[in-house]
Amino acid sequence: MRPDIVTFWHGPLDALRLLCLRSQVAAGHNVTVYSFDPLAQLPDGVGNAEAEAILPQAFAERLRPTGPDGVWRDWTTLQFSDFFRMRLMARNAGPNNPGLWLDADVLLLKPVELDPAKPYFAWERPRQLGNSVLYLPSSDPIVAAFMALMQQDELTPDWLALRHRLTFALHKLRGSHRPSDIRLAIYGPAALTALARRAGELHHALPKKSFYAVHAEPKLFFEPRDFSALLGDPEIMGFHVSPKGRGNQRPVPGSLHAWAAERFG
C-alpha cells in the first residue's frame, strides 16, 4: 500500500525542506505537514493540519523548558517531534489509514510501498535505526511503550542505555529531574533502536543506503561530484539530507542538490 506522508514542523520552512516536500508529492504521495501556526507558501499538493489535535503544544513544557517568552529552546523541537511522530503512529489503526512519517528534509526519489501490518524503518548507522523515515502499526509495542511513557510525570524511559542512565544520575545530583536536560536524542533513534530490539523487530530494518546514504556525509549532497551511482542504485528510495544550517543555500552547480532543485524545483 502507498501510505500518506505525515510530518511536523515548527517555524518557517526553508528552501531545502520545501524542495523535499515537492519531491514527496512528485512520488505520488498525499503529504500533510502538522504545525501550530499556519505555514505559508507550501508546495501544491501539501496539506497543513493543526498539530494541537495530535499533541498539545503544552506538552513541550514537560521536555526542555521554554523561556519566559514561550520560545522553544535547544532540544525542544527535536524531542517534541519524537513524541509527536509516535502519536501519529498511534493513529495507524487500520489498513486504509496508514501514515508514514518522513522528516521534512527527506528527498524522496520513488514512491514508498509498505505492509500496514509491519514496521517500516531503516538503519541510519551500523547499530542505530533512523526515525526520519518511520511507520508503525498502532498496535506495535514500540508505540505502546511511548504511550505509556507519556503518562509519566518525569518522562523517564525504561530503555535508557547505561551511559545515559549514569549521565541522568549526575544531572539529578545537580538538581535536574528532566531526562531531556541530558541534551541527547534519548527519545529519537536511540529509543527506536532499543525498543525495536526489545520487540524483536530489528529484522524489519531496511539497509542504511535506503534513506541515509548522504545523511552522515552532507558533502555528497551539497558539493559537486559524480552522484550517478546514488541515483542508479535501485535500493535507494531517497535521501535524508539533514542540511545543518544550509537549508537556504543556493544549489552549487554539479551537485546532487542542484540536480534535485532542477527536477523538483
Side-chain angles (χ1 to χ4, degrees), residues 127-145:
R127 296 182 181 180
Q128 181 170 284
L129 298 173
N131 70 343
S132 301
V133 178
L134 179 66
Y135 168 82
L136 297 169
S138 63
S139 58
D140 192 274
I142 298 173
V143 177

Side-chain angles (χ1 to χ4, degrees), residues 88-136:
L88 286 174
M89 296 301 103
R91 294 162 62 94
N92 289 330
N96 296 321
N97 189 35
L100 169 70
W101 173 281
L102 291 188
D103 276 6
D105 55 3
V106 172
L107 186 82
L108 199 57
L109 300 181
K110 59 190 71 173
V112 174
E113 304 283 346
L114 56 78
D115 181 344
K118 298 178 181 179
Y120 188 92
F121 41 60
W123 292 107
E124 179 183 71
R125 300 176 183 172
R127 296 182 181 180
Q128 181 170 284
L129 298 173
N131 70 343
S132 301
V133 178
L134 179 66
Y135 168 82
L136 297 169

Side-chain angles (χ1 to χ4, degrees), residues 6-200:
V6 291
T7 197
F8 167 79
W9 192 258
H10 187 68
L13 284 156
D14 57 34
L16 189 279
R17 268 83 179 189
L18 293 173
L19 177 65
C20 289
L21 291 173
R22 286 195 289 271
S23 76
Q24 296 168 16
V25 172
H29 291 272
N30 295 320
V31 180
T32 300
V33 180
Y34 288 85
S35 63
F36 290 112
D37 300 311
L39 295 173
Q41 298 180 326
L42 284 173
D44 291 342
V46 178
N48 190 195
E50 176 54 59
E52 190 75 16
I54 305 298
L55 184 61
Q57 189 169 1
F59 185 79
E61 297 291 339
R62 301 172 61 192
L63 301 167
R64 281 197 64 77
T66 60
D69 55 358
V71 175
W72 290 21
R73 303 191 186 283
D74 295 318
W75 290 71
T76 307
T77 304
L78 174 67
Q79 294 179 340
F80 185 89
S81 68
D82 291 334
F83 285 96
F84 193 91
R85 77 192 72 197
M86 287 298 175
R87 286 294 289 263
L88 286 174
M89 296 301 103
R91 294 162 62 94
N92 289 330
N96 296 321
N97 189 35
L100 169 70
W101 173 281
L102 291 188
D103 276 6
D105 55 3
V106 172
L107 186 82
L108 199 57
L109 300 181
K110 59 190 71 173
V112 174
E113 304 283 346
L114 56 78
D115 181 344
K118 298 178 181 179
Y120 188 92
F121 41 60
W123 292 107
E124 179 183 71
R125 300 176 183 172
R127 296 182 181 180
Q128 181 170 284
L129 298 173
N131 70 343
S132 301
V133 178
L134 179 66
Y135 168 82
L136 297 169
S138 63
S139 58
D140 192 274
I142 298 173
V143 177
F146 263 86
M147 296 305 102
L149 175 64
M150 293 176 72
Q151 302 305 312
Q152 296 184 18
D153 292 332
E154 292 188 355
L155 297 176
T156 306
D158 63 4
W159 58 77
L160 279 177
L162 177 60
R163 67 183 186 278
H164 294 162
R165 292 179 186 276
L166 292 174
T167 304
F168 184 38
L170 291 174
H171 275 263
K172 279 190 172 183
L173 291 175
R174 297 169 184 166
S176 171
H177 293 275
R178 294 174 182 259
S180 52
D181 283 340
I182 299 175
R183 293 177 59 87
L184 295 171
I186 58 173
Y187 304 119
L192 177 62
T193 306
L195 290 171
R197 180 179 294 109
R198 190 164 77 181

